[in-house]
Amino acid sequence: MEKDEIRRHDSFQSFDEICSIAEEKQVDFLLLGGDLFHENKPSRSTLVKAIEILRRHCLNDQPVQFQVVSDQTVNFQNAFGHVNYEDPHFNVGLPVFSIHGNHDDPAGVDNLSAVDILSACNLVNYFGKMVLGGSGVGQITLYPILIRKGSTAVALYGLGNIRDERLNRMFQTPHAVQWMRPEPQEGCEVSDWFNILVLHQNRVKMNAKNAINERFLPRFLDFIVWGHEHECLIDPQEVPGMGFHITQPGSSVATSLIDGESKPKHVLLLEIKGNQYRPNKIPLTSVRPFEYTEVVLKDEPDIDPNDQNSILEHLDKVSGLIEKSNRKAVNGSEQKLPLVRVK
């Protein structure tokens, strides 16, 4: 909404708040599920603001406590081929890892996305970018970023957005999607790795061919961060019989006035030790309030459908929604004009 006088700063304030939470909680890294940008070619103003926020929060002299032990030239396919905090010319204290979504996907002759710009600035570790090799439906191989901190080992798989119909067909074609498991290392068996997948695809089963079924994913995964869907379903949900849990963080701002977007927005603080994890959801307080309600006129006894005034009186409840939104305002945070939709 960068052309909207009132809402143009909303998404930057949310992003800034998310980075501030990461700093305050002293997290090891920040993980983004795609669509950092809403446009494939973000405006200069948007790009500059995004770079400013990342530079302000990510460049500092906090020590990074984990190591990347996989082949980084395979993980990070840019000209430099290593994780950003290992560059001796930069002081990266908060590493950010991101895949691309369907809004900021790679395009053009050189197959570049807006995330590649942040990657070239050494502000973001861009991973999960697939070159669809092979013939027919194509073939992809997922190599995890292997991260070790103390005795905890995390294998982080990323899969940037691929057209849903195509990825759906790939998952149903033998050997089209290859998952590389970590090689056994000294004091670390394959079973010791905590396996995370970040992906950015349709999840809701409106049309089975146009979404990715959770059951397509391999059972060795422990935790899935599902991007793309905007509704915030932050509490990890177990998928029966599959052995993994899924969190759907949703978008950090409401991009459309629908019911799913009116749920409170959160980020998830994930603590991992060995094969155990502890989720801790944190509400975002800078998000513009959004009240949504549906009114079915025929179900309202006090309305005469032929009398316009009685309908208007009933719909005056909108002002009640604005009151409700103001009451919810967190103490100390500035009150923002709420978004309201009555259907």
Side-chain angles (χ1 to χ4, degrees), residues 95-146:
V96 175
F97 291 85
S98 183
I99 61 171
H100 64 258
N102 56 317
H103 285 263
D104 50 16
D105 58 324
V109 175
D110 293 320
N111 199 38
L112 293 173
S113 90
V115 192
D116 280 297
I117 297 176
L118 302 179
S119 165
C121 298
N122 208 37
L123 292 168
V124 163
N125 297 298
Y126 176 20
F127 71 116
K129 184 175 179 176
M130 297 294 153
V131 177
L132 294 167
S135 58
V137 67
Q139 186 182 25
I140 54 175
T141 305
L142 283 89
Y143 292 90
I145 301 172
L146 301 181

Side-chain angles (χ1 to χ4, degrees), residues 51-103:
I51 288 172
E52 283 171 354
I53 292 170
L54 287 165
R55 180 172 160 182
R56 203 176 299 125
H57 292 283
C58 301
L59 299 186
N60 57 54
D61 50 13
Q62 292 292 329
V64 171
Q65 310 271 6
F66 65 87
Q67 284 174 302
V68 174
V69 295
S70 45
D71 180 348
Q72 300 190 19
T73 55
V74 174
N75 295 148
F76 309 112
Q77 292 176 13
N78 61 13
F80 303 96
H82 56 74
V83 70
N84 67 347
Y85 67 86
E86 284 184 5
D87 189 310
H89 308 295
F90 283 81
N91 240 350
V92 175
L94 173 61
V96 175
F97 291 85
S98 183
I99 61 171
H100 64 258
N102 56 317
H103 285 263

Side-chain angles (χ1 to χ4, degrees), residues 230-232 254 256-265 290-294 341 343:
H230 285 207
E231 182 175 348
C232 180
S256 51
L257 300 182
I258 57 173
D259 192 25
E261 294 255 31
S262 67
K263 309 274 194 317
K265 305 286 188 186
F290 174 22
E291 298 295 340
Y292 175 96
T293 187
E294 285 192 24
R341 181 173 184 203
K343 195 172 169 186

Side-chain angles (χ1 to χ4, degrees), residues 298-337:
K298 70 171 173 31
D299 294 348
E300 300 295 340
D302 56 337
I303 294 180
D304 173 1
N306 304 315
D307 173 15
Q308 198 177 353
N309 285 345
S310 80
I311 293 176
L312 288 177
E313 263 173 46
H314 185 80
L315 294 182
D316 266 348
K317 288 182 179 163
V318 171
S319 57
L321 287 175
I322 297 175
E323 289 303 308
K324 180 178 163 194
S325 154
N326 289 342
R327 282 200 303 278
K328 273 196 219 161
V330 181
N331 303 340
S333 64
E334 69 169 305
Q335 269 195 8
K336 289 186 174 174
L337 291 169

